[in-house]
Amino acid sequence: MNNESRDRRTVVAAGTFVAATAVTVALAARLATPPSITVAMGDATVRAGTLGPSLRPGGAIALTIAAFAAGASATVLLVDGEPASPADRSITEPDSPTDGDGEQTAPSELLAARRSEWEKVADRLANNERIVYETVLDADGVLPQSEIVEQTDVSKATVSRALDNLEARDLIERKRRGMGNVVVLT
């Protein structure tokens, strides 16, 4: 699905959610507050009780449809989420790389250039930070956080602290993917 159709779908789902929620709330309020019976005799007015629910069958059907529409549109909004940012797309959809003169370069050449930059950075890091950084570097700059723990003899907590430090120095970025994070060298 391209970004334009995803954006259109998101706008339609958001509009449907707002309208359906408003209808649901209005009909539910009417259902929750049945009309009362009052009897007036002369100057005295006595409240005799309340009638049953004031929603007619058509209103009940409308309430059901509005509630369903609100739930379905909320599901679309949650499943689609926000469109991927350019940084997210670069992980799975790399742009055609160019060199300084605007010429197209092969992905392997770009990776080799980035790797030499990253290796210079690795020389300045503390022991655990270097281990974590080089593990991601060996995976071509993108690796799930859980795999870093599996591939090193470093504890989960130590990997997390090392990633915090590397992220604070803008050397890596953690991106949420499902239940975990993907670590990307910057």
Side-chain angles (χ1 to χ4, degrees):
M1 179 183 311
N2 65 26
N3 284 339
E4 186 175 320
S5 63
R6 173 184 272 171
D7 291 345
R8 186 175 303 126
R9 180 173 152 169
T10 301
V11 168
V12 169
T16 302
F17 178 75
V18 169
T21 302
V23 169
T24 302
V25 168
L27 290 172
R30 186 166 181 198
L31 183 63
T33 56
S36 61
I37 299 172
T38 55
V39 177
M41 294 183 177
D43 292 338
T45 302
V46 176
R47 183 168 179 249
T50 59
L51 294 175
S54 64
L55 211 52
R56 292 190 172 87
I61 292 170
L63 176 61
T64 303
I65 292 171
F68 177 78
S73 59
T75 302
V76 168
L77 291 171
L78 289 172
V79 169
D80 278 355
E82 294 183 21
S85 71
D88 291 341
R89 283 192 302 272
S90 69
I91 293 173
T92 56
E93 305 166 11
D95 295 330
S96 299
T98 59
D99 62 13
D101 299 327
E103 295 292 318
Q104 295 268 339
T105 59
S108 60
E109 292 174 16
L110 178 65
L111 185 59
R114 297 284 304 266
R115 185 177 297 278
S116 94
E117 292 172 20
W118 291 331
E119 286 172 353
K120 291 175 189 173
V121 169
D123 291 338
R124 302 178 306 197
L125 299 174
N127 191 30
N128 289 332
E129 292 170 354
R130 177 181 291 186
I131 292 168
V132 169
Y133 191 85
E134 287 177 346
T135 302
V136 178
L137 179 61
D138 291 342
D140 294 333
V142 180
L143 189 65
Q145 186 171 337
S146 60
E147 288 187 31
I148 297 171
V149 175
E150 291 172 13
Q151 293 180 15
T152 62
D153 290 331
V154 181
S155 73
K156 188 175 179 179
T158 302
V159 166
S160 184
R161 276 194 304 275
L163 290 172
D164 287 342
N165 293 337
L166 293 170
E167 199 165 27
R169 294 180 185 170
D170 290 327
L171 298 175
I172 60 111
E173 184 177 352
R174 284 183 272 197
K175 297 185 180 290
R176 195 81 177 141
R177 293 289 185 269
M179 297 295 290
N181 292 323
V182 173
V183 177
V184 181
L185 296 181
T186 58

